[in-house]
Structures are given as structure tokens and as C-alpha cells.
Amino acid sequence: MAELVTSPEYRAYLDGLIAGLDRAMEIANAAKSIGVDPRPYVEIPIASDLAGRVEALLGYKGVAAKIRELEDRMSREEAALKIGDAFVGKEFGEAAREEILDHAIRTSMALLTEGVVAAPTEGIGKVAVRRNDDGTEYLSIYYAGPIRSAGGTAQALSVLVGDYVRRLLGIDRYKPRDDEIERYVEEIKQYNNIQSMQYLPKDDDIRMIIRHCPVCIDGEPTEQEEISGYRNLERVETNVVRGGMCLVIAEGIGLKAPKIQKNVAKMNLDGWEWLEELISGNAPAQEEEEEPGVHPKDKYMRDMLAGRPAFSYPMRKGGFRFRLGRCRNTGLATCGFNPATLHILDDYLAVGTQMKVERPGKACGVVPCTDIEGPTVRLKSGEVCRIDTLDSANKYYDQIEYILDIGEILISFGEFMENNHVLMPPSYCEEWWLQEGGPRHPADEGEALRFAAEGAYLHPDYTWFWDDCTEEQLTFLAEKTAAAGSMKNGVLYIREDPAVKKVLEELLVPHTVEEGSYVLRTPLAFLRGLGLTDTLERSSAWQTLPPFTNGLIMAAHLSGLKMRSKAGTRVGGRMGRPGKSAPRKMKPPVHVLFPIGEAGGMKRSIDSASKICSADSDENFAGTSVTTGQVEGLIQIQTGERRCQKCGAVTFKSRCPDCGAHTEAVYRCPHCNQEGEPGQDSCPRCGANLVCSKESIISLAQEYAAALKNVGMSPSSAPELKGVRGLISRERVIEPMEKGLLRAKNTIFVFRDGTIRYDMIDLPLTHFRPAEVGVSVEKLRSIGYTKDMHGAELTDASQTAELHPQDIMVSVDCGEYLVRVARYIDELLVKVYGQEAFYHVETPEDLVGHLVMGLAPHTSAGVLARIVGFTKAKAGYAHPYYHAAKRRNCDGDEDCVMLLMDGLLNFSRSFLPSTRGGTMDAPLVLTTTLNPKEVDKETLNVDVMSRYPLEVYLACLTYRPPKEVGKFVDYVEKRVETPGQFEGFSFTHDTTDISEGPIDTMYTNPILKGTADKIKAELGLADRIRAVDTNDLAERIINSHLMPDMIGNLRSFSKQAFRCPKCKTSYRRIPVSGKCNKCGGPVKATMHKGNVTKYLEISKYMAEHYTLSAYTNQRIQVTEMNINSTFGEEEKTQMDLSDFF
Amino acid sequence: MDKREIVARFADAGFLVHHQVVNYISECGGTGVIEGILASLPNGVTVVTPKEVPAMTPLRTDRLDVGVSRTPEILCGREGSSIPLADPESSYAMFRDRYDALAGMLRGRVNPIPIEALVRTGNRFTDQEIGLAGMVTTISTSAKGHRVVEVEDPTGSIKVLFNKNRDGFAEAESIIPDEVIGVKGQLARDSMGRTQMVFSDTLFRPEIPLTNTISPSKEKGKAVFISDIHVGSNTFLPKAWEKFSEWMHERKDIGYLLIAGDVVDGIGIYPDQDKELEIKTIYEQYDHVGDLMAALPDRLKIVISPGNHDAVRGAEPQPALPEEFRRNFPENVTFVENPAVVNIQSVSVLMYHGRSIDDLIKFIPGASYTKPGEIMQAMLKRRHLGPIYGQRTPLLSTDKDALVIRDVPDIIHTGHIHISDVISYRGVLGINAGTWQSQTSFQKLMNITPTPAEAVVVDLFTLAYEKFCFL
């Protein structure tokens, strides 16, 4: 593939990253060569591009070169098919047909999913070639649960790839038997009952897919349940529900049929003509012609969770006003808000909180943008004013009586592109006004009116919300103003009258209440709009008022001025998930992957385990050479079996305790004890799966003491060290205890793969100021930020610099955690590996310029990044490319960072669980270089211009599809394969500080204790917002959260499982004996009355204080009755006569 | 009939009763006599002694005439008889009761050995033919396709293997969780000498005795069986009901109407139900049912048990409909619990709404919503209305398992799935009574076609039945 197109400066930046990585690799490899780890070398392969990533992820040598060659000539999808030719041609060494098929399908799936997610490795169990009833052969693909991470299209295309390759190999199509077809129908429906799917095809559609699909879509059992109808079929290996298979058929082929058909057509594949029928049968009935424009949608209001407030009902007056633009920290599903808005909404929206929105997408991340308007409020004094800064929000917060308008929401053009949503009228703003004849920002209202008189539109600052008012309201207001108003020194006074105030508040014209009058200090445009002269008389325009449709047109006529809608389009929103910024911990948190069984208690403390003299030790050590007197600190654990390559000693450690050489895992057959050859999975004699396992009796006390000595700690000063209960990997390899001691000393925790991670919510950033990221200009210059975004020398902390795609800002807390990790790494290098310290950091700023690895959940590829700063927000700010490389967008997704050296030194594949899905969330490969072509496509729609041209605004007024004006907008897709893909971005709106605004959401604030408090706080806020209907909100909370919870728990109370607290056996049903069948102890219920009744009181409170529908009120009553009848009302002790018989 | 119950019955009616009378009623089976005795008591009596019972007095000769009452008599499931246990952990008593009752039915055929004795190391039963009775805990399929079922009794648990190549494997495939089965087979050990499992030769179920025959009433009379009226739903069929109501006025030979639950559609039963409700409040729904009942002929004796759409707790046994919803119902309606056993002219009817049918269909191979008769047969074979715990059917923890079919009924009457079906199994008439609601959007989604507006008429004198449709 062609070399990445970059400027020389950017190339230098990339080279710098690679050089840093190479140096770290060298040190890590040298350190690991001493053999204390499962492997004596770094286990994370490096990939510079997609092709390399695919090869590293799957481990097929030579695939990368072939992919690069194909991608030069054809599209990604075509290459994903054509790679099959190479496998069939045995270019990479596969010989057996199954192997060819298996590897070809995995490779193309990896290609189609950007080589990031776990689906290619974990989503396909195996492939098999089996026999049709006519004696021909067919291909069967066994899908597993993690196929989900591939997404529907890639799932479906993998079937296509299988079809393509099996033809090349001369394998016939799958010819299903009738009972097999019915099995699919039964099973897919049953799976949908267990885990509801996005899409459930009709029975006949399932039949059609199975009957015609040339490849047999099979699967591994994934659920607990068995099917009851079509059991014991000869060619279906299991009676258990196969989730992966169901997903591929329903959400893959069923849902994405049009996309497969496109590829089938492009590749000229026959045998898929039936897709046409499937699609036409499924085409949704022509939706009724809707009038153009946008209409209220309340989908985002479904499933209201108690305590997460609604801020704005669908397109409701007073809700978020749509402002068109991109701030340097928005795009990729984040939207900007004035920090004053965030604070006045009771701090529920903190920086990084997710908000569910009405449009254009489903949800967005919340970030501050100071360039847009804040909320308009009524103070207790009656004053109505707009609050545009966080300072004034703080000042007025206690005086606010009612929030008339919650301010603007900044949404970029790219969001409309990404969601394929029609454009819609934005709120009127200066950047638009300037393009329609506005000469410059007007000094005062008088100048604004003069500009308008000269032909411009009225400036947005003096355009009131005329279109929110009715004709009657405006006529009434004009009359009252004429009758009860007076002008003094250019200030308008209107005598107090609640009816007048109501209209003033609809218009959102700022005013105060002074000595019995409403005082308007900007009255000129107001009077013009009402058709009043400066002397408060009706102008002649009233006589010529034509028929009109809304208040804006009326006001425009009366004033004789050109005006645009100040309100624009309102967008509904409610709180989604709260943000997060926290170290990754296992439950319970541990420091080292060293098994101690139950000996450490619930805290897994190695120290207490090493002192234990177990009461039942006799039993534990029966049949061993250990006698009771010796058992203090001795534990019996299951570990892997390893053998020293030099002296042949058998141990469970990675380094031979006798001679210090590296040891290797030994696999044996659990039945016949036969030792397997390297690379073998099953016993050559009996076919059972080989295991690496040995019962080890170790002296924990000795191990612990030795480890303390090795890292130079005294037992008295040693931190509490926590290990794990048992090992879950196939190799059952342990970590040296020294690593744990050093981690414990630095109060950091290990994840199951040996790495230390810090989780943060994702936020995008394209430009930053040194001042807001807590790093000095000198430091930034030293790592390459010498110029600001305009090309001037970077000398001042308030200048704005363009962020490089692989540079990230982590949260301050993360910075501090990583400092401790760096210290741990340094001590580890010195004390365990005998190397020099690497990081030498004291403060977070010292971390600037150091490399980290980003990794998202459900993916298996890390992304190389560099720390360049810190944000007070509890989030990780980074370039959109970086997030897209991890397949994240920024609407509340989160992922983690780890120090590069930590990953290189401590990660090992052999720690990963052997169960399906075990390699998810592990850095199986590290991407070194970002290429916008090889990351999630969502990022291609991020727009990067400094001002949208007028055409875009005008297209918004007529609700045009965004693609039609795409030619006027500069967005990433247009820059791909030019040097501009990495540099020269801009933004339309700025913000003073990317972390200005609430840092922690009120939702997680500990002053709200329990759900009842949260609901009361939520309803209290709702009562103060004009755009929210509190009664309806209360009803929604009850019907979507409280009631289902109570009813569900009531139901599950009567179906609950039981558990033995002593031996932790759980029982689907209580044993007939009433006691644990294993240990004879008492069993305990898992659900209690409290689980069922927890929301009853608050529901009744809401019924009392808000107007709910009769339906909802009665549901609460009936539920209460049912709860009482399930648990019994007060105990009756009265004796019955029949008790005596 | 249980003596306690006899005493309780008299106590409920406000009388004390002499122990000889209790013994007498207990011995003659209890059917129908109590209502007769109560009806014939002279004024001023507080203690019922043998002289108040005509049949016990040799001087009187009208013994036959008092034996059969026209009033439906509730044998099980009287209002207020199901009381929850204080804590969920005591619910084992209910399963113990189930085990005792059903294992008792198996005892004669199986000769069960306590499982503890079978699993004890070094026991003497190895490689011998043994019998056991156990409640099923888990079911799985071995790698070779055999059925492996773990069963337990109050002493322990053991695995039983049903070989797929043996006769009767189909019956083993229909083993469902928490039913009580009997097994005869070989006890096998592993290489270490520990008891491994039982290889089953024969599977036994509590069953209806082969000797059971139909026992119709000695008097003429007819009863109508319906279910699932779903008043309040926008799919309730008022026209069909009106037709039915008019027809009832014409059929003077019919004396009883039994309704097996879901008389209303209820509120909050499923998400967004309010969008499919014609009557949106629960009180108005019941008021309307009350009006419908009042419009039926007065001579009818009506028995109503609740279902999962009714405004009572979902956990079974469900209580009778509370007083506060009954304000519009006429006097001739009797409310019972779900399940309930009602005696009509000495024909005993087991009424059960049928929530468990959903579970049974899911677990029994080949079972389907279109064949509810087979499900009723499955209940009778297992002598239990819904053994599967922890699925769709919530169970209340009580000291006795109300869902055990203790005495063989003459008629079993269910509903719930809106598809009518009538079967006869070993002398027991099974009636699933359909619905009065057209296809709902949920049923459309599930591809279920209901059989609305049907009523089953049973001639109590012959136990022959007829189906009528009122669409």
C-alpha cells in the first residue's frame, strides 16, 4: 500500500513516536529476557497499518503484504473476498481445506472490522466441511457469542466470504433438511426471548434464508437453555441455543440484506438472487408522506431512569436551541453547551456526561462551549435575564425562580452527515447575520436598527422570540404597552400585570421589575415588532397587516424589518449515563495474579493467607507428605505445570528456582497423563483436551518473605498485598509476587491480563491551549508544539495549537495515577529486572511526552498515543482519529489507557482466560500509526472548517439533506490521502477552557442518598424548567422505571434462586431438604422483601404530589395490594378452632 | 376429606360440629354433603350433632335427597386459604409437601430407597436393581446424546441416566424440572468406587390410575365452561358475549357457569398496555364484568377464579378477587382462588387458569400452543398443575403445594392460552376454554391464532360435552 501522505512536519512527529516505541521495546525485551515472565520477550506485536494489524492479530505470516497489494487495486470489501484466492492458492502455508476456509474467513472479517474488534478471533469457533444428503459436501461455519462485536454487516459478509472460498475449493452448497430449517426458526425465536435482538425476522424469512444460504450457519452453544422442539438432529451438534448463529442470521443476513446484495452485485456472485426477494418482502410499507421539516420525536424519552432528569421535551418552547457549528471539542457525537447552562441545570450535565437527544443522533457527549448562548431565567425578583457565563451563573444560581429557556446546543454539520438527518433551521446567530449583509457587531440597539434599516436582517442580539407567540398574545401586548407603558430616557416602563409578564417571558425579552413596573432597557426592536412608535402609538402598519401564520411574520410586518427566527429548532434532551474516570479494578481489587484460594478470605490478603494454620488442613493435605505441624502458611493451589529448559526441574514459576533459567508450560492429557507436543491441543491417544495444571503445595510464608526481601521491604512496613482466588487461564501461569508488592506499595491495581489501566469517558479535541491543559509552553515546545494553529510561534499559554492525532489529554486524576504506575515501573525495572529506571517522573507534567496505549472494551487492538496534557474534566480528551481507531465515538463511550512500558513488560496472553471471549479487552496488537482510512468511518464526517458558508444556513431553512450541501463544507473525508488529513483543521466556535463547567455530575453526588432523593431532586429541577412537563415526567419515571422494577422484582421474588452462603453453591430452586445438598448448611434467599418494596414509598409520594393518570395511579395501588398479598400483611397469631384437631 | 377442613367449613358457616359428624363426613368422602347438611339445619342450632344429620339418623329415610346440593361446593381454594410463609427460606416445606404427596403415589410401583442410602460410600446396592423417587433438579444431555437427570429427595441427590437407545426414551425426553419421578434401574459406580449414577430401566410418573373411570352426577344438570373474557381490552368481543348471554337465557337446562380466570384485561400487565385498553381503570373493568354477570340468568351459579390479568398477586396460588372489585357482581357469583377444586352436583372440577402452560410448552418436546389438551394430559400424568419453578409461573411459598393434583378430578378446567380444546384422559375430562378476545398484537407477533367466543357445555349426568361458538 502507498505510503501515508503527510507533511514533512507530521512525518517527523510520527517518526518521533516510533522512535520512542522502539526504544521502549528494546528496554522491555532486554528486561524480559531474564525469564521471570511467562515469555522471555514482549508479547504485544506492533502493526503500523491495517494490514499489519490483521496479520498480528491472527498470526498468519505474509497476509499483510497480500492485503496491501490487494487494497491498492480494490475496495476494502472486494479485498476481503479476494484474499480468499490467496488462501486457496496456499500462499500462506495452509494445507488442509478446513484451515484454508477458517483462515480466509477470519482474515476477511478482520479486514472488514478494521482489525480492532475481537470478532475475527473469538467470534468464529471453527469451520467444518460436512456432507449433504446427496453425498456432496458443504461448508459449516460455527459462530460464537463475540461475533456480536463485528456488527451486522461484517457478520453477514463473513458468510459471503465463506461462500466465495468454498466455491474455489469445489465444495457444494448447503442443502438443509426440513427439520433443520424448523430448528432454526424455533431456535432464533427462543434466542430472541432470552436476549432480545435488534431485529427478529419473520418465520418465513428465516426459512428462506436457511433454504437458500449456500453456507451452513452453525454455532457454538452460548446460552443455558436448550430448545425443546427440534432436538437431537443428526447434523446439529447441540440442543443448546446457539447465540452467535442467531445473531448472524437475524441481525446479519436478515437486517443487512441490502448491503450484502450490493456486494454480491459488485462481485458478480451467483446463488444469492433470493436476497432480492427477502428485501422486497421486508421493505417497510411506504411511510405516510410527512410534510417536510422535523417533528417532535419522543423516542429519547423512553425508558426514563429515576434520577436522570429530562431537560427539554421534544421541540418544546424553552428547550435547547439548535446552534449550528463545531467547537474545537465537539463533533464525533459530542455537542457543546454554554457552561452556564450546565450549572443552572443543577450540574447534572458535567463535562463528559452523556445526554440522550431528540436529534440528529441518539445521544451525545456534553462539552462546554463559551461561544454560544446560555439560559434565560426569571429571578425571584421578577427580573428576566440571559446568563452567558459560568461566573454569572454562580452569582445568580440561588436567585433563580424559573428557567424560561435552557440555552443553545452546538451541533456540527458533520453530525447531520453522520446520522443522515435533514438539516434544520438553527437559532439565528451573528456568524450567519454577517454573511447576509451584517457589516459588524453593532455597538448598541440603535446601531442594530440602523443596520437593519440599511437592508440587513435585524441582528440576533435584538431579535426576540416572536415566533413563540400567538397573534392574540402580540396584539394584547401591543395594546397593554400602548396603554400602560411609558418611555423615559430610552427606557420602557410598563405597569405590572401578570398577563403582560407572561408574554414578555414568551418573547424572552430581558427586563427587570422596579417599583411596580416592568423595565425594558432594550425597548426599540421590541416596540417596532409590536408596531408601536417611540411614543407608544400604533403605527400605520397595523392597518395593512396581511393574513399570516406566525408571530415572527407578524412582527416583521409591523416593524418593517427583516427578521429571522431566534429560536430556530428546539432539540429535546435528557441525561444519559454519567461520565467516569477511575482506575480499573477487578472485584475484589487485587495487586498480583497469584492464587491463594480461599486462604486470604474475602480480602484475598496474601499476608493473612501466609499466616493461616487452616483448621481443615488435615483434610487438605491428606495423602501428601505434609504433616499437620508443618501446615502454617502452606496452601494447596492449582497452578500450571512448567519445566526448566536447562535443568529439567518442574515448577509452577516462570523462572526456574533451581538454576534461574526460563521455564516452559507442559501440557498433559487429564485422562492418560500423556504429555502433548508443542502446538498440540488434544491428546494424541484419547483426544481429550490437553491441560497445563498441577496441584502445588507451596509455603506462602516463604514465598512472601522471599519476595519482600527481593524488593527490599521489611515485613512490618509491607503494604497489604492482595492476590487472586484461582487462575482462569489455560496455562495457569502466575505473576512473580514481587510485582504485586511494588504495585501495592504504589496503591495501584492489576487487571486480569497483568496490565494497569485507567478508564475514562472519551471526548474529542482538535485544538488546545497550553493554559487549559496544565502544561507549560516550554514543555510543549520541547515535544514539538512550536507553532500555534495559525502558524505563529507558540509563546503564550493562551494561544491555540492544533492537536496531533495521537496526542491525548488525560484527566488530572488519571495523571496522578499514572505517575504512581510510572514509579512502579521504575522500581520494577530496577529491583526485579535489574535494569535502569525508565520514567523518572515526580509530577504529572513529567509524564508529558511519554507514550501510552489506548484500548477499548470488546476490542483487541491497542493504539499508541502520547500524553500532552491534563484536563480537570473527568474524561480523556483526544483527537477524533484516536477515538475512531478504537472504534469509539464520544456519546458516552469509555475506554482505558495504560503506560506503554507497563503493557510491554507485564502483559501476557497466557494470563487471559481460556473461555470464549477471553481475548477481548486485551492488547493483542499495538497500532503505531493512525490512518483515517483505517479507522471507524464515523470520523470521516467530522467537519473542520472555520465558518460554514451561507449556502449551508439557507439549506437548513428548507430542511435539505446534508449531502446536498456537502460540497460547500470541508470535512475529513475530502482530505483523506492528502497531507491535510492530519493538519490544518479548524473550528467554527471556540471555548475558553475545555473543562469549564461542572466536573462531577449531580447524579453521583453523595448528597443525594438513594433513589427517593434522586427522584425528588430530579422533579424539583423539572418544576423549574419551562421545557419540561413535570407531571408527565413523573408518570414516565413510574411507568418506565419504578413500576417495572417493582413488578419485575415481585415476580422474581416468587421465582428466586437460593444460595448457600458457606460453600457458595447456588440453587435454582430450594432443595427439598431445605439445606445445602453439598455442605448441609442453611441456604439463603437471594431476593428479599426490601428488593421488592424499595420504590413503593416514593411512587406513592409521586402519586400524591403530581397529577398522574388514573391508569398509573391504579397501577401503584394494585401493585401495593399484590405486594401485601405476597408477603402477607401483619402477622396473624390468632388460633383457629381447627388447630386443635 | 381432611377433618380439619370439615371443622373449618362448619366454623365458617358459624357452627360447631360434633366429632361423630366429622367422622361420618370424612368417611363418606365429603362430597356435597356439607352444603346439604347446612341447608337442612333447623333454626337455633349452634352445635351440629348426629341428630341434625338426616343420614345418620336411622329413623329418617330421606338419606338420598340431602346428598347432592345445587350449590357449588368449594373443596379446595376457598377464599383466604392461601397464606404466604413468613420467610422465603421456609418454602422448602412446600416442595417437601410436593415430594411427599407425589412420591406417595409412586411408592407402590417403585419401592423407593432413600437417595442418601444409594450414594453412601460402600453401600450394598451396587449393580442391583433399585427404585427411587426424586424431584428433578437439573436436566442435561450427555456428549453421546443420553439424557442425564439429577433428582433429589429429602436425604440427598443423585444423577439418573436415560439411555437414548432404550424404549421409552421419548418419555425421558419429556422430563421437566421439578416434577417428581420414579425410576427403576441399576446403580453404577465409577473407578474410584464412588456412586456415580443410576442407569434407568423404567421411568414412572404419579399418573392417573388406570382403574380410574368417569363418575358422572346422579342428577341431571349442565355446566358451561369458559375463560379469559378480557373485559377492558380493545380486542374484547362484546357482540359475541351478548350472543352468548342471550343464548344462556334460552338454555334453561344449564345451571352452572365456571370461568377460569382473566375476566378482565387488567392494568399494567404488559408494557404500554394502556394503549390497548378500552377501559383504562381496573375498577371500571370489574364493574363492567359485574354488569355482564348480572345480565346472565339469575338461576345460574357462577364460579370465578382469577388469572394473571386479574388484580391479584401473580404468585400462585392466587387469592380470590378482593371485595373492593366486586361491587357490581350479582349474588350468584362465587369467587375462588386459583387453583380451586369445586364440587358441582358431586362432579369435582379442578379449575386452574393455566399460567404454567407457557412453561410446559417450552420444556416438553413437541408441545405447542395449538394443542392445550396435551398439556392438560401432561399435568394429569405428573399430578401437578405446573411443576417448573423459576420460569414464567411465580409460586407463592406456602406450607402446602396448592398445585399438586391430590385427588383425581372429574374435570380439569384451564384457560390462559386462548385456544379451546377438550380431551379425555383416563376418565378425566380436560377442558381448555378459549377466550372472548380476538387476536392481540402480542399473539400476532407470536403467530398464535386464538379460538375466541367458544363455550363448552358439559352434561353432568353423562359427562358428555358440546362446544358452541358465538362469533
Side-chain angles (χ1 to χ4, degrees), chain A residues 464-622:
Chain A
W464 312 121
F465 291 67
W466 300 105
D467 40 349
D468 284 352
C469 298
T470 61
E471 178 183 2
E472 291 72 39
Q473 282 178 312
L474 293 182
T475 311
F476 168 80
L477 188 61
E479 276 166 15
K480 282 288 179 182
T481 307
S486 58
M487 285 288 281
K488 253 179 273 172
N489 303 326
V491 175
L492 174 65
Y493 297 81
I494 311 172
R495 267 204 309 282
E496 267 191 72
D497 176 348
V500 169
K501 177 115 175 102
K502 192 169 177 335
V503 189
L504 291 176
E505 290 181 356
E506 288 276 345
L507 276 175
L508 291 178
V509 52
H511 58 271
T512 55
V513 183
E514 294 168 28
E515 294 163 3
S517 289
Y518 305 126
V519 183
L520 279 69
R521 289 186 167 76
T522 50
L524 303 178
F526 173 77
L527 291 175
R528 292 282 294 270
L530 289 177
L532 298 177
T533 64
D534 293 351
T535 52
L536 306 188
E537 276 152 46
R538 280 198 180 212
S539 70
S540 56
W542 277 97
Q543 268 88 57
T544 56
L545 198 59
F548 55 89
T549 46
N550 76 38
L552 180 63
I553 298 172
M554 177 176 176
H557 174 83
L558 291 176
S559 64
L561 301 171
K562 287 204 288 182
M563 283 196 253
R564 288 209 184 275
S565 168
K566 174 72 179 170
T569 310
R570 257 92 175 212
V571 177
R574 70 161 170 104
M575 187 186 165
R577 293 201 297 145
K580 183 183 172 191
S581 160
R584 176 82 60 91
K585 289 176 189 172
M586 293 202 282
K587 284 176 196 161
V590 300
H591 299 113
V592 61
L593 304 174
F594 193 101
I596 54 169
E598 298 294 342
M602 272 311 284
K603 290 168 98 181
R604 311 262 179 268
S605 164
I606 288 185
D607 184 37
S608 35
S610 71
K611 288 175 185 145
I612 209 159
C613 182
S614 173
D616 44 63
S617 48
D618 272 346
E619 196 181 315
N620 275 354
F621 299 102

Side-chain angles (χ1 to χ4, degrees), chain B residues 85 172 226 342 435:
Chain B
L85 292 169
I226 61 168
V342 182
T435 180

Side-chain angles (χ1 to χ4, degrees), chain A residues 189-190 193 203 225-229 231-232 239 1039 1047 1050-1051 1053-1058 1068-1074 1077 1083-1085 1087-1088 1110-1111 1114-1115 1117-1118 1121-1122 1124-1128 1131 1136-1139 1141, chain B residues 4 7 16 84 86 88-89 91-92 95-96 99 135-137 141 147 152 154 157 173 177-178 267-269 273-274 277 280-283 311-313 315 319 322 324-325 361-365 389-392 394-396 447:
Chain A
K189 286 205 295 203
Q190 189 168 342
N193 285 340
D203 292 4
E225 289 187 14
E226 293 195 354
I227 51 109
S228 73
R231 304 170 58 84
N232 303 335
N239 287 333
N1039 283 328
I1047 292 173
L1050 183 61
R1051 209 171 279 162
F1053 178 81
S1054 302
K1055 306 184 210 173
Q1056 65 173 311
F1058 288 78
R1068 178 183 59 83
R1069 156 178 61 71
I1070 193 164
V1072 183
S1073 58
N1077 276 345
V1083 290
K1084 287 281 166 206
M1087 297 263 309
H1088 301 93
Y1111 175 81
Q1114 290 195 6
R1115 277 187 85 182
Q1117 285 171 27
V1118 169
M1121 278 168 53
N1122 293 349
N1124 288 339
S1125 113
T1126 302
F1127 295 101
E1131 298 261 302
D1136 204 72
L1137 179 63
S1138 61
D1139 287 330
F1141 275 85
Chain B
R4 282 163 177 265
V7 176
L16 297 176
E89 286 85 2
S91 67
Y92 82 92
F95 293 102
R96 174 75 68 88
Y99 176 82
M135 188 182 295
V136 176
T137 53
T141 305
R147 203 85 166 139
E152 59 164 351
S157 68
E173 288 240 283
D178 311 314
I267 55 164
I269 308 296
Q273 189 187 13
D274 47 339
L277 284 183
K280 290 196 197 297
T281 77
I282 188 76
Y283 290 95
V312 296
R313 77 161 174 254
E324 55 185 303
F325 299 111
I361 286 176
K362 193 169 139 197
F363 278 86
I364 297 177
Y389 173 83
Q391 294 282 321
R392 296 250 196 102
L395 283 184
L396 187 73
N447 199 16

Side-chain angles (χ1 to χ4, degrees), chain A residues 547-759:
Chain A
F548 55 89
T549 46
N550 76 38
L552 180 63
I553 298 172
M554 177 176 176
H557 174 83
L558 291 176
S559 64
L561 301 171
K562 287 204 288 182
M563 283 196 253
R564 288 209 184 275
S565 168
K566 174 72 179 170
T569 310
R570 257 92 175 212
V571 177
R574 70 161 170 104
M575 187 186 165
R577 293 201 297 145
K580 183 183 172 191
S581 160
R584 176 82 60 91
K585 289 176 189 172
M586 293 202 282
K587 284 176 196 161
V590 300
H591 299 113
V592 61
L593 304 174
F594 193 101
I596 54 169
E598 298 294 342
M602 272 311 284
K603 290 168 98 181
R604 311 262 179 268
S605 164
I606 288 185
D607 184 37
S608 35
S610 71
K611 288 175 185 145
I612 209 159
C613 182
S614 173
D616 44 63
S617 48
D618 272 346
E619 196 181 315
N620 275 354
F621 299 102
T624 70
S625 58
V626 179
T627 58
T628 320
Q630 293 176 296
V631 295
E632 185 171 354
L634 281 184
I635 57 167
Q636 185 178 24
I637 48 170
Q638 196 187 24
T639 62
E641 177 182 346
R642 301 180 78 86
R643 191 183 300 128
C644 176
Q645 297 302 291
K646 209 159 120 200
C647 69
V650 172
T651 174
F652 61 93
K653 294 185 178 178
S654 298
R655 186 153 73 155
C656 176
D658 297 343
C659 71
H662 184 67
T663 62
E664 280 187 11
V666 178
Y667 284 88
R668 292 178 187 283
C669 173
H671 300 310
C672 48
N673 212 28
Q674 166 85 26
E675 192 176 325
E677 298 292 320
Q680 274 179 343
D681 282 338
S682 51
C683 174
R685 203 183 298 164
C686 67
N689 282 336
L690 297 178
V691 295
C692 175
S693 173
K694 130 181 205 298
E695 292 289 324
S696 301
I697 292 168
I698 62 167
S699 167
L700 202 57
Q702 279 175 27
E703 295 286 337
Y704 185 55
L708 280 173
K709 189 162 155 267
N710 287 345
V711 296
M713 286 185 206
S714 69
S716 55
S717 69
E720 181 167 36
L721 176 64
K722 295 173 179 185
V724 294
R725 189 156 66 149
L727 298 166
I728 45 175
S729 61
R730 184 158 180 259
E731 201 171 310
R732 292 191 181 80
V733 62
I734 59 146
E735 275 196 314
M737 208 182 283
E738 289 83 356
K739 287 193 178 183
L741 282 169
L742 294 174
R743 288 186 189 122
K745 182 182 163 200
N746 288 294
T747 51
I748 50 181
F749 300 94
V750 69
F751 189 56
R752 62 166 189 227
D753 64 348
T755 61
I756 299 157
R757 304 172 174 204
Y758 193 93
D759 292 321

